[in-house]
Amino acid sequence: MHPGVAFVLACAVVAGGYHLFEWFAAWWFFRRAARAIPTLPPGVALPPVTVLKPLKGPGIDLYDNLASFCRLDYPAYQIVFGVEDARDPAVAVVRQIQRDFPERDIVLSVGSMPGANRKVANLCHMMWHARHDILVVSDGDIRVRPDYLRAMVGPLVDPAIGLTTCLYRGLGRFGLPTVLESLFINTDFMPMVLAAQLVDRFQYAYGASIAFRREALEAIGGFPALADYLADDYHLGNRIARAGYRLVLLPYTVETVLDSVTLRDVWRHLLRWSRTYRVSRPVSWFCAVVTHAMLWGCLSLLVTGGSLLGWAAFRLLGEHDTLRWLWLVPAKDLFNSLMWAVAFLGNQVRWSGQLLRVHRDGRMVAVGPVPAAAPAPAPVIASELAPEEPETLHAAGG
């Protein structure tokens, strides 16, 4: 057998074995997590929580996403919604949320601080309003169940645990682009996350949902220390772990409501994610190509001239998730292999309309002018304003 043919078939076998390993890793994770993750002892009071929700733009189903955070079964929590500009369309949605949930402690933060990562710059300003010592950060496209805060915060009663994060699945209900993006999350990223639990120490976080202690955040220099980094969620978890705290990945899943309108949006999102992963974990990203089952299955057909051996490798490597869209998975897998290669061909990403260059350490610099940060105003308390009243400001407080 020609060495090139042997190499391709060997990669196909490795890729097939890896996907079997993912199934085992998922079983092991959920079985182990049920026993290993601390639960609240009876009678232990839940600490008050501040939920930080940085927002930009109207999104898709933004009202329903934000409203799910107002229906939580939790005794005491504050929600801080943050925008950079008072003219942002998300402000109208927050105002409606305030009117519909007057019983909730809702704060609207308008403004930001310096930083190439505008989400983190927003969070820096939002921290002026955060009153509690347990903080939860969640993106605007996340939707949760009523038990969300109990699941996220419960393990933090153990003082050794500094941060919890959870799994998430893509919800693609708004056209083909969102379906494709959901397939990447549900059939590639999440299985990879679970497989990593068996082979690597968990010391990072996932931006969809993170809960942590204020003291842990302060120990790493606060959000300003992350304001110029692309993978802020990775660096937040990694630095808290290096500060001596334990991190926990919870067997709990939230939904991310995907809003890609065109295939170009999907490309831009996935390229940013790919280059984020490449910068954060370069060795892991380089080796990941050997797990691209569809790529090696197709190549095995080509190098064997369509022999029975090639077809056996191809059939062995089929995907089994997201049955409704199974016919799209092969194309998605090949696209994923293309994305792996393209991630090495540049160091620029586009995020929130801004072109950024990413350095090897993950730090970003803007290509062109950085949007000017709005002057940092004092807190705006949405619950204290009637819809028709102009915004009034009062002194910033803790």
Side-chain angles (χ1 to χ4, degrees):
M1 182 181 292
H2 190 278
V5 174
F7 173 77
V8 170
L9 291 177
C11 288
V13 171
V14 171
Y18 171 76
H19 287 293
L20 292 175
F21 175 73
E22 286 182 325
W23 281 94
F24 172 77
W27 170 82
W28 175 87
F29 172 76
F30 286 103
R31 183 173 181 269
R32 174 181 173 275
R35 302 194 307 262
I37 294 177
T39 56
L40 283 173
V44 172
L46 289 164
V49 173
T50 291
V51 178
L52 302 170
K53 298 283 291 183
L55 305 174
K56 183 173 183 179
I60 290 182
D61 272 7
L62 181 61
Y63 177 89
D64 290 335
N65 297 342
L66 302 188
S68 70
F69 283 81
C70 298
R71 301 188 178 108
L72 300 178
D73 176 21
Y74 199 83
Y77 66 100
Q78 170 199 30
I79 307 176
V80 179
F81 296 116
V83 295
E84 284 193 276
D85 192 325
R87 297 165 296 180
D88 193 301
V91 170
V93 180
V94 173
R95 296 298 191 198
Q96 187 62 49
I97 289 288
Q98 180 270 322
R99 291 191 290 268
D100 293 346
F101 298 92
E103 73 282 6
R104 292 300 177 204
D105 181 5
I106 297 174
V107 177
L108 175 61
S109 167
V110 181
S112 68
M113 304 293 281
N117 187 321
R118 304 312 297 161
K119 171 187 169 181
V120 177
N122 194 354
L123 285 166
C124 290
H125 186 270
M126 294 166 67
M127 282 297 293
W128 288 9
H129 311 262
R131 294 200 302 270
H132 303 306
D133 291 330
I134 300 295
L135 305 170
V136 172
V137 174
S138 176
D139 292 337
D141 59 359
I142 298 300
R143 189 172 299 178
V144 297
R145 302 188 300 273
D147 64 342
Y148 164 74
L149 273 187
R150 290 180 179 270
M152 293 295 296
V153 174
L156 292 176
V157 299
D158 181 348
I161 297 176
L163 178 149
T164 65
T165 189
C166 70
L167 305 171
Y168 61 96
R169 69 182 186 91
L171 190 62
R173 302 184 306 176
F174 305 101
L176 180 62
T178 62
V179 169
L180 286 173
E181 195 165 353
S182 73
L183 288 175
F184 278 98
I185 295 172
N186 300 341
T187 68
D188 286 319
F189 182 65
M190 281 298 102
M192 180 180 65
V193 165
L194 296 176
Q197 304 307 302
L198 272 176
V199 298
D200 196 9
R201 179 188 173 194
F202 185 65
Q203 48 185 354
Y204 33 89
Y206 302 116
S209 188
I210 310 172
F212 49 94
R213 302 175 184 280
R214 185 190 290 262
E215 66 180 44
L217 179 65
E218 292 173 349
I220 65 168
F223 284 123
L226 310 175
D228 289 323
Y229 285 87
L230 175 61
D232 53 272
D233 50 356
Y234 172 84
H235 286 282
L236 175 65
N238 186 256
R239 294 182 184 201
I240 287 178
R242 287 193 280 118
Y245 292 93
R246 180 184 165 201
L247 276 56
V248 174
L249 176 63
L250 300 170
Y252 188 88
T253 305
V254 298
E255 292 180 335
T256 176
V257 181
L258 302 169
D259 61 358
S260 294
V261 176
T262 66
L263 293 178
R264 186 175 181 180
D265 292 335
V266 178
W267 173 269
R268 188 163 52 245
H269 293 170
L270 294 177
L271 182 60
R272 187 182 76 228
W273 179 85
S274 298
R275 287 180 173 162
T276 299
Y277 189 175
R278 191 202 77 194
V279 168
S280 301
R281 301 176 67 81
V283 174
S284 176
W285 178 251
F286 179 79
C287 295
V289 69
V290 79
T291 69
H292 292 189
M294 193 58 62
L295 170 67
W296 298 112
C298 290
L299 289 177
S300 69
L301 284 178
L302 292 175
V303 300
T304 60
S307 70
L308 288 178
L309 179 61
W311 279 108
F314 186 80
R315 293 290 297 270
L316 174 67
L317 302 174
E319 298 284 352
H320 304 286
D321 295 321
T322 318
L323 293 180
R324 180 183 176 190
W325 302 104
L326 188 63
W327 60 278
L328 283 173
V329 170
K332 180 271 302 177
D333 284 352
L334 293 176
F335 185 84
N336 191 33
S337 298
L338 174 63
M339 186 65 66
W340 176 88
V342 172
F344 288 100
L345 300 180
N347 61 354
Q348 294 184 356
V349 298
R350 186 170 294 277
W351 191 8
S352 297
Q354 185 180 0
L355 189 62
L356 303 157
R357 181 178 294 111
V358 186
H359 294 293
R360 289 185 178 181
D361 63 353
R363 193 180 299 272
M364 300 185 297
V365 295
V367 178
V370 179
V380 178
I381 309 299
S383 59
E384 294 181 355
L385 300 176
E388 65 279 3
E389 291 178 339
E391 291 186 351
T392 57
L393 307 179
H394 61 78

